[in-house]
Amino acid sequence: MTEQNRVLLIVSGGIAACKCPELIRLLKRRGFEVRCILTRGGARFITPMTLAALSGDKVYEDLFSLTDESEMGHIRLTRQAGLVLVAPATANIMARMANGIADDLATTALLAAKVPIMAAPAMNVAMWEHPATRDNIETLKRRGVRLVGPTEGEMACGEWGMGRMAEPPDIAEAVEDLLLGGGGKMSAMKKLKGRRALVTSGPTLEAIDPVRYIANRSSGKQGHAIAAAIAGQGADTTLVSGPTRQPDPERVKVVHVETAVEMLAACERELPVDIAVCAAAVSDWRAAKPSAQKIKKTGKKSTASLALIENPDILGSLCAAGERRPRLVVGFAAETEKVIENAAAKRKAKGCDWIVANDVSKGSGVSGVMGADTNTVHLITSDGAESWPEMTKTEVGLKLALRIADALEFET
Ligand code: C5P
């Protein structure tokens, strides 16, 4: 994870703070990590617990908390982000920013920030139009603070006018433009523009009868994070996913399927693509003859047996697609022992370019690793194995997307 993908969100005290959950969700779906500072006023509108649950990180509130200062000083908070976003930005916090006042954690961090600052103002129309606010806005703009919004509309107080906070999708778009789009001097170009990518994710469900099925514990978190990160780098991305609880990532075409056979057909329809990442936990078998009716107990204490047949290997089929083979095919391997050795053998056997081996022994059992937010992986290529430290699945997605971009750039 680079600073470019980290946003430090300062939530100050306005009714628009209730839009922050949506904003955090949208930023995360675009592949950003979000860490929050909540002002005392902000905490009257939204709880730290809500922000912590959505951002997946501790929420920072108190400048003088000794543990916060020892674990993460206010200087480091801003150094580890690519952008500080103040949303909502009240008239009060902008006045303090404009005047260099640092009397709480939020304004101290803002004064210490060397990275770009973006503010989404939100206030009553009279406050927005007040000469004091106008002056403060001019000062902040002159110093390079980017503003997104406000917009015109009905205010929480019932009045109509300028001062509504910009909508979360517009703020998320502005953040992405600043951090990843062309233009600003802090920005990096999107590295996969013009490429087409296909990602598989989640488990497959294989019917035994109309009510029962064979499935597995895959959460889809890793596959979805990879699709979001690849799309975040500008690739035209399709995610073919089995049933999961993950929201559809932003700017990704999502094809929902149930079975391995459906997943293979959906993948084949997407060809040709430049990149294929098979992160789905495809069921190896399906019922040979799914019953049209619910299978009844016999009443006798007998054992039952189920005939299974092998499912198609989607990764293998993509690798063997001849002229339609994606230029870079990446598979996954969940291993519990001899991780690198087994994954390297799988890379050869499947005929894919890279294997991401996730070490499922480094957790509390297979189900724990499969549903967890972090992953410990090794990237196996023809050059050997590279071990990545434990990171969030979002970070793994971003790192992999950047590695893919580098590999394709090198090739052409
Ligand atoms: O063969 P195994 O299941 O260990 O291989 C894992 C890799 O193969 C993953 O990338 C998975 O998405 C892919 N796979 C597949 N179709 C299958 C089985 C596995 O695409 N039927």
Side-chain angles (χ1 to χ4, degrees), residues 200 260 278-284 311-316 330-335 346 350 355:
T200 69
C278 293
V282 184
S283 176
D284 287 329
N311 262 329
D313 187 327
I314 298 161
L315 175 63
V330 185
F332 267 71
E335 303 286 345
K346 188 168 289 180
K350 297 254 185 183
I355 283 269

PDB file of all heavy atoms in Angstrom, residues 200 260 278-284 311-316 330-335 346 350 355, ligand 1:
ATOM      1  N   THR A 200     -12.053 -13.622 -11.242  1.00  0.00           N
ATOM      2  CA  THR A 200     -13.088 -14.475 -10.637  1.00  0.00           C
ATOM      3  C   THR A 200     -12.959 -14.391  -9.123  1.00  0.00           C
ATOM      4  O   THR A 200     -11.872 -14.160  -8.589  1.00  0.00           O
ATOM      5  CB  THR A 200     -12.978 -15.959 -11.074  1.00  0.00           C
ATOM      6  OG1 THR A 200     -11.801 -16.550 -10.498  1.00  0.00           O
ATOM      7  CG2 THR A 200     -12.946 -16.103 -12.582  1.00  0.00           C
ATOM      8  N   ALA A 260     -19.847 -23.627 -11.193  1.00  0.00           N
ATOM      9  CA  ALA A 260     -18.571 -23.576 -11.923  1.00  0.00           C
ATOM     10  C   ALA A 260     -18.814 -23.531 -13.424  1.00  0.00           C
ATOM     11  O   ALA A 260     -18.123 -22.815 -14.155  1.00  0.00           O
ATOM     12  CB  ALA A 260     -17.727 -24.800 -11.563  1.00  0.00           C
ATOM     13  N   CYS A 278      -7.669 -15.456 -11.403  1.00  0.00           N
ATOM     14  CA  CYS A 278      -8.656 -16.431 -10.917  1.00  0.00           C
ATOM     15  C   CYS A 278      -8.505 -16.581  -9.408  1.00  0.00           C
ATOM     16  O   CYS A 278      -7.650 -17.333  -8.928  1.00  0.00           O
ATOM     17  CB  CYS A 278      -8.461 -17.778 -11.603  1.00  0.00           C
ATOM     18  SG  CYS A 278      -8.852 -17.710 -13.353  1.00  0.00           S
ATOM     19  N   ALA A 279      -9.322 -15.831  -8.688  1.00  0.00           N
ATOM     20  CA  ALA A 279      -9.257 -15.893  -7.227  1.00  0.00           C
ATOM     21  C   ALA A 279     -10.438 -16.660  -6.653  1.00  0.00           C
ATOM     22  O   ALA A 279     -10.560 -16.793  -5.441  1.00  0.00           O
ATOM     23  CB  ALA A 279      -9.222 -14.476  -6.660  1.00  0.00           C
ATOM     24  N   ALA A 280     -11.327 -17.139  -7.531  1.00  0.00           N
ATOM     25  CA  ALA A 280     -12.508 -17.852  -7.026  1.00  0.00           C
ATOM     26  C   ALA A 280     -12.103 -19.200  -6.429  1.00  0.00           C
ATOM     27  O   ALA A 280     -11.149 -19.831  -6.875  1.00  0.00           O
ATOM     28  CB  ALA A 280     -13.503 -18.076  -8.170  1.00  0.00           C
ATOM     29  N   ALA A 281     -12.853 -19.605  -5.419  1.00  0.00           N
ATOM     30  CA  ALA A 281     -12.666 -20.944  -4.850  1.00  0.00           C
ATOM     31  C   ALA A 281     -13.712 -21.832  -5.514  1.00  0.00           C
ATOM     32  O   ALA A 281     -14.819 -22.014  -5.015  1.00  0.00           O
ATOM     33  CB  ALA A 281     -12.856 -20.898  -3.341  1.00  0.00           C
ATOM     34  N   VAL A 282     -13.351 -22.302  -6.690  1.00  0.00           N
ATOM     35  CA  VAL A 282     -14.303 -23.086  -7.490  1.00  0.00           C
ATOM     36  C   VAL A 282     -14.429 -24.481  -6.886  1.00  0.00           C
ATOM     37  O   VAL A 282     -13.417 -25.114  -6.572  1.00  0.00           O
ATOM     38  CB  VAL A 282     -13.801 -23.192  -8.952  1.00  0.00           C
ATOM     39  CG1 VAL A 282     -14.820 -23.922  -9.815  1.00  0.00           C
ATOM     40  CG2 VAL A 282     -13.495 -21.812  -9.521  1.00  0.00           C
ATOM     41  N   SER A 283     -15.660 -24.926  -6.743  1.00  0.00           N
ATOM     42  CA  SER A 283     -15.873 -26.276  -6.216  1.00  0.00           C
ATOM     43  C   SER A 283     -15.271 -27.295  -7.185  1.00  0.00           C
ATOM     44  O   SER A 283     -15.500 -27.218  -8.389  1.00  0.00           O
ATOM     45  CB  SER A 283     -17.383 -26.503  -6.070  1.00  0.00           C
ATOM     46  OG  SER A 283     -17.597 -27.814  -5.657  1.00  0.00           O
ATOM     47  N   ASP A 284     -14.479 -28.197  -6.651  1.00  0.00           N
ATOM     48  CA  ASP A 284     -13.823 -29.161  -7.535  1.00  0.00           C
ATOM     49  C   ASP A 284     -14.823 -30.143  -8.160  1.00  0.00           C
ATOM     50  O   ASP A 284     -14.605 -30.635  -9.246  1.00  0.00           O
ATOM     51  CB  ASP A 284     -12.763 -29.956  -6.758  1.00  0.00           C
ATOM     52  CG  ASP A 284     -11.542 -29.087  -6.467  1.00  0.00           C
ATOM     53  OD1 ASP A 284     -11.257 -28.200  -7.288  1.00  0.00           O
ATOM     54  OD2 ASP A 284     -10.896 -29.284  -5.420  1.00  0.00           O
ATOM     55  N   ASN A 311     -15.652 -30.679 -11.838  1.00  0.00           N
ATOM     56  CA  ASN A 311     -16.014 -29.428 -12.504  1.00  0.00           C
ATOM     57  C   ASN A 311     -14.930 -29.027 -13.505  1.00  0.00           C
ATOM     58  O   ASN A 311     -13.780 -29.466 -13.373  1.00  0.00           O
ATOM     59  CB  ASN A 311     -16.161 -28.317 -11.457  1.00  0.00           C
ATOM     60  CG  ASN A 311     -17.607 -28.113 -11.083  1.00  0.00           C
ATOM     61  OD1 ASN A 311     -18.505 -28.320 -11.899  1.00  0.00           O
ATOM     62  ND2 ASN A 311     -17.833 -27.694  -9.856  1.00  0.00           N
ATOM     63  N   PRO A 312     -15.267 -28.178 -14.490  1.00  0.00           N
ATOM     64  CA  PRO A 312     -14.209 -27.700 -15.384  1.00  0.00           C
ATOM     65  C   PRO A 312     -13.232 -26.827 -14.611  1.00  0.00           C
ATOM     66  O   PRO A 312     -13.607 -26.158 -13.649  1.00  0.00           O
ATOM     67  CB  PRO A 312     -14.972 -26.862 -16.420  1.00  0.00           C
ATOM     68  CG  PRO A 312     -16.266 -26.502 -15.767  1.00  0.00           C
ATOM     69  CD  PRO A 312     -16.574 -27.624 -14.815  1.00  0.00           C
ATOM     70  N   ASP A 313     -11.990 -26.850 -15.030  1.00  0.00           N
ATOM     71  CA  ASP A 313     -10.973 -25.996 -14.404  1.00  0.00           C
ATOM     72  C   ASP A 313     -10.935 -24.678 -15.191  1.00  0.00           C
ATOM     73  O   ASP A 313     -10.482 -24.637 -16.333  1.00  0.00           O
ATOM     74  CB  ASP A 313      -9.618 -26.712 -14.448  1.00  0.00           C
ATOM     75  CG  ASP A 313      -8.555 -25.948 -13.653  1.00  0.00           C
ATOM     76  OD1 ASP A 313      -8.616 -24.701 -13.618  1.00  0.00           O
ATOM     77  OD2 ASP A 313      -7.686 -26.607 -13.069  1.00  0.00           O
ATOM     78  N   ILE A 314     -11.438 -23.624 -14.570  1.00  0.00           N
ATOM     79  CA  ILE A 314     -11.577 -22.347 -15.281  1.00  0.00           C
ATOM     80  C   ILE A 314     -10.202 -21.747 -15.570  1.00  0.00           C
ATOM     81  O   ILE A 314      -9.903 -21.327 -16.693  1.00  0.00           O
ATOM     82  CB  ILE A 314     -12.452 -21.378 -14.463  1.00  0.00           C
ATOM     83  CG1 ILE A 314     -13.850 -21.994 -14.327  1.00  0.00           C
ATOM     84  CG2 ILE A 314     -12.519 -19.998 -15.111  1.00  0.00           C
ATOM     85  CD1 ILE A 314     -14.689 -21.435 -13.232  1.00  0.00           C
ATOM     86  N   LEU A 315      -9.357 -21.761 -14.553  1.00  0.00           N
ATOM     87  CA  LEU A 315      -7.995 -21.238 -14.728  1.00  0.00           C
ATOM     88  C   LEU A 315      -7.275 -22.001 -15.837  1.00  0.00           C
ATOM     89  O   LEU A 315      -6.674 -21.406 -16.738  1.00  0.00           O
ATOM     90  CB  LEU A 315      -7.234 -21.369 -13.396  1.00  0.00           C
ATOM     91  CG  LEU A 315      -5.760 -20.994 -13.376  1.00  0.00           C
ATOM     92  CD1 LEU A 315      -5.566 -19.518 -13.699  1.00  0.00           C
ATOM     93  CD2 LEU A 315      -5.149 -21.315 -12.013  1.00  0.00           C
ATOM     94  N   GLY A 316      -7.387 -23.341 -15.761  1.00  0.00           N
ATOM     95  CA  GLY A 316      -6.735 -24.179 -16.768  1.00  0.00           C
ATOM     96  C   GLY A 316      -7.272 -23.881 -18.164  1.00  0.00           C
ATOM     97  O   GLY A 316      -6.509 -23.802 -19.134  1.00  0.00           O
ATOM     98  N   VAL A 330      -3.180 -15.133 -13.816  1.00  0.00           N
ATOM     99  CA  VAL A 330      -2.751 -15.281 -12.421  1.00  0.00           C
ATOM    100  C   VAL A 330      -3.726 -16.207 -11.697  1.00  0.00           C
ATOM    101  O   VAL A 330      -4.942 -15.982 -11.735  1.00  0.00           O
ATOM    102  CB  VAL A 330      -2.744 -13.897 -11.706  1.00  0.00           C
ATOM    103  CG1 VAL A 330      -2.190 -14.035 -10.281  1.00  0.00           C
ATOM    104  CG2 VAL A 330      -1.945 -12.871 -12.499  1.00  0.00           C
ATOM    105  N   GLY A 331      -3.185 -17.228 -11.071  1.00  0.00           N
ATOM    106  CA  GLY A 331      -4.023 -18.152 -10.295  1.00  0.00           C
ATOM    107  C   GLY A 331      -3.743 -18.005  -8.809  1.00  0.00           C
ATOM    108  O   GLY A 331      -2.793 -17.324  -8.401  1.00  0.00           O
ATOM    109  N   PHE A 332      -4.558 -18.638  -8.013  1.00  0.00           N
ATOM    110  CA  PHE A 332      -4.371 -18.641  -6.564  1.00  0.00           C
ATOM    111  C   PHE A 332      -4.139 -20.067  -6.084  1.00  0.00           C
ATOM    112  O   PHE A 332      -4.610 -21.021  -6.714  1.00  0.00           O
ATOM    113  CB  PHE A 332      -5.613 -18.062  -5.860  1.00  0.00           C
ATOM    114  CG  PHE A 332      -5.490 -16.589  -5.595  1.00  0.00           C
ATOM    115  CD1 PHE A 332      -5.551 -15.692  -6.647  1.00  0.00           C
ATOM    116  CD2 PHE A 332      -5.287 -16.117  -4.304  1.00  0.00           C
ATOM    117  CE1 PHE A 332      -5.412 -14.333  -6.415  1.00  0.00           C
ATOM    118  CE2 PHE A 332      -5.145 -14.765  -4.065  1.00  0.00           C
ATOM    119  CZ  PHE A 332      -5.211 -13.863  -5.116  1.00  0.00           C
ATOM    120  N   ALA A 333      -3.447 -20.196  -4.991  1.00  0.00           N
ATOM    121  CA  ALA A 333      -3.269 -21.518  -4.393  1.00  0.00           C
ATOM    122  C   ALA A 333      -3.309 -21.380  -2.880  1.00  0.00           C
ATOM    123  O   ALA A 333      -2.504 -20.648  -2.306  1.00  0.00           O
ATOM    124  CB  ALA A 333      -1.925 -22.107  -4.823  1.00  0.00           C
ATOM    125  N   ALA A 334      -4.275 -22.016  -2.273  1.00  0.00           N
ATOM    126  CA  ALA A 334      -4.351 -22.034  -0.802  1.00  0.00           C
ATOM    127  C   ALA A 334      -3.593 -23.266  -0.335  1.00  0.00           C
ATOM    128  O   ALA A 334      -3.973 -24.386  -0.668  1.00  0.00           O
ATOM    129  CB  ALA A 334      -5.806 -22.093  -0.367  1.00  0.00           C
ATOM    130  N   GLU A 335      -2.534 -23.045   0.386  1.00  0.00           N
ATOM    131  CA  GLU A 335      -1.700 -24.177   0.818  1.00  0.00           C
ATOM    132  C   GLU A 335      -1.526 -24.137   2.330  1.00  0.00           C
ATOM    133  O   GLU A 335      -1.560 -23.066   2.935  1.00  0.00           O
ATOM    134  CB  GLU A 335      -0.303 -24.093   0.166  1.00  0.00           C
ATOM    135  CG  GLU A 335      -0.316 -24.050  -1.363  1.00  0.00           C
ATOM    136  CD  GLU A 335      -0.642 -25.389  -2.020  1.00  0.00           C
ATOM    137  OE1 GLU A 335      -0.588 -26.419  -1.317  1.00  0.00           O
ATOM    138  OE2 GLU A 335      -0.971 -25.394  -3.217  1.00  0.00           O
ATOM    139  N   LYS A 346       2.060 -26.009  -8.880  1.00  0.00           N
ATOM    140  CA  LYS A 346       0.728 -25.715  -9.427  1.00  0.00           C
ATOM    141  C   LYS A 346       0.829 -24.738 -10.593  1.00  0.00           C
ATOM    142  O   LYS A 346       0.105 -24.853 -11.577  1.00  0.00           O
ATOM    143  CB  LYS A 346      -0.160 -25.132  -8.330  1.00  0.00           C
ATOM    144  CG  LYS A 346      -1.603 -24.991  -8.768  1.00  0.00           C
ATOM    145  CD  LYS A 346      -2.533 -24.693  -7.614  1.00  0.00           C
ATOM    146  CE  LYS A 346      -2.693 -25.901  -6.719  1.00  0.00           C
ATOM    147  NZ  LYS A 346      -3.581 -25.677  -5.597  1.00  0.00           N
ATOM    148  N   LYS A 350      -0.833 -25.878 -14.069  1.00  0.00           N
ATOM    149  CA  LYS A 350      -1.994 -25.153 -14.612  1.00  0.00           C
ATOM    150  C   LYS A 350      -1.620 -24.351 -15.858  1.00  0.00           C
ATOM    151  O   LYS A 350      -2.493 -23.933 -16.607  1.00  0.00           O
ATOM    152  CB  LYS A 350      -2.544 -24.196 -13.560  1.00  0.00           C
ATOM    153  CG  LYS A 350      -3.068 -24.886 -12.313  1.00  0.00           C
ATOM    154  CD  LYS A 350      -4.575 -24.851 -12.298  1.00  0.00           C
ATOM    155  CE  LYS A 350      -5.111 -25.435 -11.003  1.00  0.00           C
ATOM    156  NZ  LYS A 350      -6.572 -25.470 -11.015  1.00  0.00           N
ATOM    157  N   ILE A 355       1.310 -17.390  -9.711  1.00  0.00           N
ATOM    158  CA  ILE A 355       0.414 -17.941  -8.686  1.00  0.00           C
ATOM    159  C   ILE A 355       0.572 -17.085  -7.434  1.00  0.00           C
ATOM    160  O   ILE A 355       1.691 -16.761  -7.034  1.00  0.00           O
ATOM    161  CB  ILE A 355       0.767 -19.414  -8.345  1.00  0.00           C
ATOM    162  CG1 ILE A 355       0.270 -20.381  -9.436  1.00  0.00           C
ATOM    163  CG2 ILE A 355       0.214 -19.798  -6.989  1.00  0.00           C
ATOM    164  CD1 ILE A 355      -1.113 -20.964  -9.245  1.00  0.00           C
TER     165      ILE A 355
HETATM  166  O1  C5P B   1      -6.601 -26.712  -8.423  1.00  0.00           O
HETATM  167  P1  C5P B   1      -6.743 -25.741  -7.325  1.00  0.00           P
HETATM  168  O2  C5P B   1      -8.165 -25.559  -6.861  1.00  0.00           O
HETATM  169  O3  C5P B   1      -5.814 -25.912  -6.176  1.00  0.00           O
HETATM  170  O4  C5P B   1      -6.270 -24.343  -7.994  1.00  0.00           O
HETATM  171  C1  C5P B   1      -6.594 -23.090  -7.495  1.00  0.00           C
HETATM  172  C2  C5P B   1      -6.621 -22.121  -8.602  1.00  0.00           C
HETATM  173  O5  C5P B   1      -7.344 -22.622  -9.711  1.00  0.00           O
HETATM  174  C3  C5P B   1      -7.355 -20.836  -8.231  1.00  0.00           C
HETATM  175  O6  C5P B   1      -6.801 -19.780  -8.979  1.00  0.00           O
HETATM  176  C4  C5P B   1      -8.781 -21.127  -8.673  1.00  0.00           C
HETATM  177  O7  C5P B   1      -9.498 -19.931  -8.925  1.00  0.00           O
HETATM  178  C5  C5P B   1      -8.553 -21.923  -9.923  1.00  0.00           C
HETATM  179  N1  C5P B   1      -9.588 -22.931 -10.209  1.00  0.00           N
HETATM  180  C6  C5P B   1     -10.435 -22.747 -11.276  1.00  0.00           C
HETATM  181  N2  C5P B   1     -11.363 -23.710 -11.587  1.00  0.00           N
HETATM  182  C7  C5P B   1     -11.447 -24.824 -10.855  1.00  0.00           C
HETATM  183  C8  C5P B   1     -10.589 -25.032  -9.755  1.00  0.00           C
HETATM  184  C9  C5P B   1      -9.668 -24.063  -9.460  1.00  0.00           C
HETATM  185  O8  C5P B   1     -10.345 -21.714 -11.951  1.00  0.00           O
HETATM  186  N3  C5P B   1     -12.353 -25.727 -11.167  1.00  0.00           N
END
